[in-house]
Amino acid sequence: MVCGICIRKSPATPAAKFGTRGSGLCKKCLTDVEISSPIQKRTAKLISKYEKQIEELTSQCNIKSDECSMAWSLVESTNQELDRLKMELHQKLVQTDNFEQVLDTQTDQLRKVSQNYENDKKLWAAAISNLESKIKAMKQEQALLSLEAHDCAHAIPDLSKMIEAVRALVAQCDDLKMKYHEEMAKRKKLHNIVQETKGNIRVFCRCRPLSKVETSSGYKCVVDFDGANDGDIGIINGGTAKKTFKFDRVYTPKDDQAEVYADASPLVTSVLDGYNVCIFAYGQTGTGKTFTMEGTERNRGVNYRTLEELFKIAEERKDTVTYNISVSVLEVYNEQIRDLLATSPSSKKLEIKQAGEGSHHVPGIVEAKVEDINEVWDVLQTGSNSRAVGSNNVNEHSSRSHCMLCIMVRAKNLINGDCTRSKLWLVDLAGSERLAKTDAQGDRLKEAQNINRSLSALGDVISALASRSSHIPYRNSKLTHLLQDSLGGDSKALMFVQISPSDNDVSETLSSLNFASRVRGIELGPAKKQVDTAELQKVKQMLERSKQEAKLKEESLRKLEENCQNLESKAKGKEQLYKNLQDKVKELESQLDSKMHSQITSEKQQSQLSGKLKEKEEAYSGVGA
């Protein structure tokens, strides 16, 4: 619209720029518009002028639109061409990566081939040098064999003298063995005589110091140690009355564990010589029996020191005797045997069986084999921690069972082949108690009754041994039944009697000392070795073998002459062997030539691979360009 007035659509009539005079046609709606003033005329002229400009601009706009559409289509075709070029570039890059991977692979292969070549070259060089050294060694060996053959040929006249010298040495060796056996028998006989003069059951008395509780309660010491060096000990009972007892050794409260064990040491040697031994601590509860036998980690007791001594002596004798040592720890609690080394409790009841003449064992008991002293303490602690303890009016941690450490020693003499099997019992007896004093009830009462009953059975056995009764009541208690093979006439025993110095326990102290004084000096009869019956057959076989060996020695001496004669034939055989080795060397040289030929072939292959690699590099460089 131009004038802003015409809103009606013009009829379909021929268009005219101007109508009648003084009027004009609207170009938009073809309406006859009257022109009445000069201004309107000027406006009409301007309108027509502008209309022409508009038409020109419109035509120019259409031309420009056509140009833009052509340019846009050109841009789209250019973009398509660009995408196509990008795709081709991507494909070229992928091909380049593939070429690089192939190049890397072939480079690695070439490197491996080079390395294999170098390794093979070194191996071949080492093989050649090794063959040369072997050839030299064979030549030297052949020369030595030739010399030996000539020496043997010259030594044949002196062979008879050598045979006589060997026979003289054999006779001298047999004589020395007989003398050694005689000296060993004399030594053991003298040792047994000394032990028997002291009594096969020896009794030592040890008194503990006053405890802090006893000192704070005002108790006094009633033990007199004036004659302790002579084995005498006095007990002041009721004012000035003093009762004296005699023992093999008396230890005061100032004596330490090492001094206590020193006098028991000879019995340890007896065990290694094949004798059964029993060492036990006896006394009322709270007198220090467990401390004497077990001790602490910083202050070892008899058990640990005994095993330490055993290993020490076994190490000293290792050139003539071999020892196998095993340990079992058990307790007799309420007349029942309990294995303290068992890892898990068993419902099976442990019973004592007779293994052989005068020998007893408990089937199913754990036997811990110990190789050295470092393993001993852990085994002893395991057994001690499993022991039954309880509390009463006398001792807060009273042992409620007899703890028994059994050390089994199997020995074999490397000189004469003798085998022995011996046993050492280290027994920490439960403390004797007076029920009125401990006021035990319930389980404690039952335990105390069984303890006193087994200790009474031990006293009955010792009394029967002292009176040389035809019947010894070993089976009245599990304790004495277990100790039967170590308390009989073929064994030795040692008792540590523990007493309290307090005037509060005078009656108990006197009871223990009276029992111990009856035990001291009992003669059990001559002790004798416990021969390992299982080895008797082996000993007989060894004797037969020795006889056969003696015959074989004579035959071997006869064969010496034949061997000397055969040496020359062997030398000839060595020469033949040398010739065969030379042939083998030639064969190896031919193999070496073939190896060299294969090496040349591998070098050619390597050069071919290098050429291929260069071609691939050139192709790769062309692709990159």
Side-chain angles (χ1 to χ4, degrees):
M1 294 179 63
V2 178
C3 61
I5 297 172
C6 298
I7 60 172
R8 185 168 56 84
K9 187 176 181 181
S10 63
T13 58
K17 291 185 177 179
F18 297 100
T20 61
R21 186 178 179 179
S23 65
L25 290 175
C26 178
K27 196 171 183 178
K28 295 292 182 181
C29 58
L30 299 179
T31 305
D32 190 9
V33 181
E34 183 179 359
I35 302 172
S36 59
S37 64
I39 295 171
Q40 289 179 346
K41 291 178 180 180
R42 191 183 300 163
T43 303
K45 290 179 180 181
L46 291 172
I47 289 170
S48 63
K49 180 180 179 180
Y50 288 138
E51 285 178 349
K52 289 179 181 180
Q53 291 179 357
I54 289 170
E55 288 177 355
E56 292 176 356
L57 291 173
T58 302
S59 64
Q60 291 178 1
C61 182
N62 291 330
I63 293 170
K64 294 294 181 183
S65 297
D66 294 337
E67 291 178 354
C68 286
S69 61
M70 290 177 65
W72 182 256
S73 62
L74 182 61
V75 168
E76 286 182 349
S77 63
T78 304
N79 288 332
Q80 291 177 357
E81 182 67 18
L82 181 62
D83 291 337
R84 186 180 64 76
L85 291 174
K86 285 182 179 179
M87 289 293 292
E88 289 180 357
L89 178 61
H90 179 70
Q91 291 176 357
K92 295 293 183 181
L93 290 174
V94 171
Q95 289 178 357
T96 304
D97 292 336
N98 292 333
F99 285 142
E100 288 179 352
Q101 292 178 359
V102 171
L103 181 62
D104 293 337
T105 303
Q106 291 181 352
T107 304
D108 292 337
Q109 290 178 355
L110 180 60
R111 189 182 298 110
K112 289 180 180 178
V113 169
S114 300
Q115 290 177 354
N116 292 333
Y117 169 72
E118 293 296 331
N119 292 332
D120 290 341
K121 187 175 180 181
K122 291 179 181 179
L123 290 174
W124 294 335
I128 292 170
S129 61
N130 189 18
L131 287 173
E132 290 177 351
S133 62
K134 284 183 178 179
I135 290 169
K136 291 180 180 178
M138 289 175 183
K139 289 180 179 179
Q140 293 175 357
E141 185 179 358
Q142 191 269 343
L144 291 174
L145 288 173
S146 298
L147 291 174
E148 287 179 2
H150 290 298
D151 292 339
C152 290
H154 292 300
I156 289 175
D158 298 330
L159 183 61
S160 59
K161 295 181 180 180
M162 185 177 65
I163 293 172
E164 293 297 330
V166 170
R167 288 176 178 173
L169 288 174
V170 171
Q172 186 178 1
C173 182
D174 294 336
D175 185 50
L176 290 174
K177 284 183 179 180
M178 290 180 62
K179 289 181 179 179
Y180 172 77
H181 292 157
E182 290 175 359
E183 290 297 326
M184 289 292 293
K186 289 179 181 179
R187 184 188 67 80
K188 292 177 181 179
K189 184 177 180 181
L190 291 173
H191 176 76
N192 291 331
I193 291 173
V194 172
Q195 293 296 319
E196 290 168 9
T197 54
K198 295 178 179 179
N200 279 26
I201 297 183
R202 306 186 66 197
V203 182
F204 297 160
C205 181
R206 188 181 191 187
C207 180
R208 66 166 174 81
L210 286 171
S211 65
K212 293 181 180 179
V213 176
E214 290 172 339
T215 304
S216 61
S217 300
Y219 292 115
K220 297 180 181 180
C221 180
V222 295
V223 181
D224 181 13
F225 298 104
D226 291 340
N229 292 333
D230 298 327
D232 295 334
I233 188 170
I235 304 296
I236 302 172
N237 184 20
T240 58
K242 183 173 75 170
K243 191 170 183 180
T244 303
F245 296 89
K246 184 74 175 178
F247 295 101
D248 296 291
R249 184 76 163 83
V250 174
Y251 303 101
T252 67
K254 296 180 181 180
D255 294 329
D256 59 13
Q257 297 280 66
E259 293 178 280
V260 172
Y261 175 73
D263 292 314
S265 179
L267 291 181
V268 175
T269 308
S270 300
V271 174
L272 293 177
D273 289 337
Y275 299 97
N276 287 348
V277 177
C278 179
I279 300 175
F280 51 90
Y282 173 86
Q284 70 265 31
T285 185
T287 54
K289 298 182 298 299
T290 301
F291 177 75
T292 295
M293 300 304 291
E294 296 182 5
T296 62
E297 189 169 0
R298 294 184 178 180
N299 197 5
R300 313 283 191 176
V302 172
N303 294 354
Y304 183 89
R305 293 174 185 271
T306 297
L307 282 161
E308 189 176 36
E309 183 77 7
L310 283 174
F311 284 115
K312 179 182 177 182
I313 298 174
E315 180 65 21
E316 292 173 354
R317 299 181 182 178
K318 66 180 181 180
D319 294 333
T320 57
V321 185
T322 58
Y323 294 99
N324 291 322
I325 300 175
S326 57
V327 175
S328 296
V329 184
L330 50 89
E331 70 173 353
V332 178
Y333 176 73
N334 286 340
E335 286 301 305
Q336 298 294 326
I337 299 174
R338 295 173 56 188
D339 187 358
L340 299 184
L341 295 183
T343 54
S344 58
S346 175
S347 59
K348 186 177 180 180
K349 190 175 181 181
L350 298 175
E351 296 292 344
I352 304 168
K353 303 293 183 181
Q354 187 166 353
E357 184 179 356
S359 177
H360 295 79
H361 77 293
V362 181
I365 203 79
V366 174
E367 292 186 13
K369 186 175 181 180
V370 286
E371 300 290 345
D372 51 50
I373 194 62
N374 297 325
E375 302 176 6
V376 169
W377 182 250
D378 294 335
V379 174
L380 297 182
Q381 284 297 102
T382 301
S384 179
N385 294 336
S386 304
R387 188 179 181 186
V389 296
S391 176
N392 56 34
N393 291 346
V394 178
N395 188 3
E396 183 179 358
H397 300 285
S398 176
S399 300
R400 312 309 297 164
S401 65
H402 307 296
C403 184
M404 309 177 72
L405 171 64
C406 182
I407 303 172
M408 287 149 285
V409 180
R410 293 175 176 85
K412 182 176 181 180
N413 193 310
L414 300 177
I415 296 175
N416 56 19
D418 290 344
C419 296
T420 59
R421 180 186 300 175
S422 54
K423 188 184 298 183
L424 170 60
W425 285 100
L426 299 171
V427 186
D428 178 12
L429 295 172
S432 59
E433 299 177 358
R434 290 192 179 182
L435 300 181
K437 185 175 181 180
T438 59
D439 193 23
Q441 297 179 357
D443 292 339
R444 299 286 87 83
L445 176 61
K446 182 180 178 182
E447 292 167 354
Q449 289 173 342
N450 284 314
I451 290 170
N452 291 337
R453 189 179 298 113
S454 60
L455 293 175
S456 297
L458 178 61
D460 294 339
V461 168
I462 293 176
S463 297
L465 291 171
S467 61
R468 300 188 182 278
S469 174
S470 59
H471 173 68
I472 311 297
Y474 290 113
R475 296 178 180 269
N476 287 355
S477 170
K478 291 288 174 59
L479 171 66
T480 54
H481 196 183
L482 280 170
L483 298 178
Q484 179 175 348
D485 52 5
S486 298
L487 285 177
D490 298 338
S491 308
K492 302 176 183 182
L494 168 63
M495 175 186 288
F496 286 103
V497 179
Q498 302 281 147
I499 62 173
S500 169
S502 172
D503 55 358
N504 185 43
D505 299 326
V506 176
S507 60
E508 291 286 348
T509 300
L510 289 173
S511 175
S512 297
L513 293 176
N514 285 326
F515 176 81
S517 63
R518 292 197 304 271
V519 173
R520 179 178 175 267
I522 292 177
E523 295 292 341
L524 300 181
K528 60 183 180 182
K529 283 187 181 181
Q530 303 298 315
V531 179
D532 191 353
T533 56
E535 298 290 334
L536 286 177
Q537 189 64 28
K538 292 182 180 179
V539 173
K540 291 180 180 179
Q541 292 176 358
M542 288 176 64
L543 289 174
E544 291 296 329
R545 256 186 234 145
S546 63
K547 291 179 181 179
Q548 292 177 0
E549 286 175 359
K551 294 179 181 179
L552 290 174
K553 284 180 181 179
E554 294 180 357
E555 294 179 0
S556 64
L557 290 174
R558 294 175 184 172
K559 289 180 180 180
L560 279 175
E561 296 178 358
E562 298 177 359
N563 290 335
C564 291
Q565 294 175 356
N566 292 333
L567 283 175
E568 291 183 359
S569 61
K570 287 183 179 179
K572 293 179 181 179
K574 290 290 183 180
E575 290 179 357
Q576 184 63 34
L577 178 63
Y578 174 66
K579 291 180 180 178
N580 294 334
L581 289 173
Q582 285 181 338
D583 295 337
K584 189 174 182 181
V585 168
K586 291 180 181 179
E587 183 181 354
L588 291 172
E589 287 176 351
S590 63
Q591 291 179 2
L592 183 59
D593 292 336
S594 63
K595 290 286 186 180
M596 292 296 291
H597 179 69
S598 62
Q599 179 183 357
I600 294 169
T601 305
S602 64
E603 288 178 352
K604 290 181 179 179
Q605 291 177 354
Q606 184 180 1
S607 62
Q608 291 175 0
L609 287 173
S610 299
K612 290 181 180 179
L613 180 61
K614 288 180 181 179
E615 292 175 0
K616 291 291 178 87
E617 288 177 351
E618 292 174 357
Y620 172 69
S621 60
V623 171

